[in-house]
Amino acid sequence: QVQLVESGGGVVQAGGSLTLSCEDSGRSLRTWGMGWFRRAPGKEREFVAAIDFTGNRPSYFDSVKGRFTISRTYGASTMTLQMDNLQPEDTAVYFCAASRWISEVDPGLNEYWGQGTQVTVSS
């Protein structure tokens, strides 16, 4: 069974950094796409970043471009999200997703999800 586990969330002041990590405990997603989504209280889940299994075709939502960096090493069922210059509007629960093809506009199409990790950015 695929089980995605996120880690690295926490509380940080505006301008600070955090690194999120996602791992499939089953180590079975070598050729699957992986991505990050987030949900702020009272808002819809939204796309943050995604990367294919080669680790060299990342994509980002406009609001995080230049601040967040997604990475993945081929052959390892792990993915990271380096978040720099965090702002209060980045506060949300961040979810790891995995799918044969990551859907950025319709999150419900993605096949597997982690439980989420809380990121809180204070002013």
Side-chain angles (χ1 to χ4, degrees):
Q1 180 179 342
V2 174
Q3 182 173 307
L4 301 176
V5 180
E6 303 97 335
S7 62
V11 180
V12 65
Q13 289 184 288
S17 299
L18 287 171
T19 301
L20 305 183
S21 180
C22 173
E23 180 177 0
D24 169 29
S25 62
R27 303 179 185 273
S28 61
L29 303 176
R30 289 184 176 182
T31 63
W32 287 40
M34 299 182 75
W36 293 96
F37 296 76
R38 66 187 182 187
R39 187 183 69 238
K43 297 183 178 180
E44 293 289 329
R45 181 171 50 184
E46 68 178 7
F47 169 73
V48 177
I51 194 165
D52 69 8
F53 72 92
T54 69
N56 60 8
R57 291 183 175 85
S59 63
Y60 301 92
F61 186 62
D62 286 346
S63 68
V64 307
K65 288 181 179 178
R67 299 189 297 121
F68 292 9
T69 303
I70 189 171
S71 62
R72 181 183 182 184
T73 299
Y74 180 85
S77 299
T78 59
M79 173 184 63
T80 62
L81 184 69
Q82 176 66 44
M83 304 184 293
D84 296 319
N85 193 24
L86 284 161
Q87 301 299 312
E89 56 264 34
D90 296 315
T91 295
V93 177
Y94 284 70
F95 297 90
C96 172
S99 190
R100 304 185 192 211
W101 178 77
I102 289 290
S103 176
E104 300 177 4
V105 300
D106 190 354
L109 293 177
N110 297 309
E111 298 179 65
Y112 295 99
W113 294 89
Q115 295 300 306
T117 185
Q118 177 70 49
V119 172
T120 301
V121 184
S122 62
S123 300

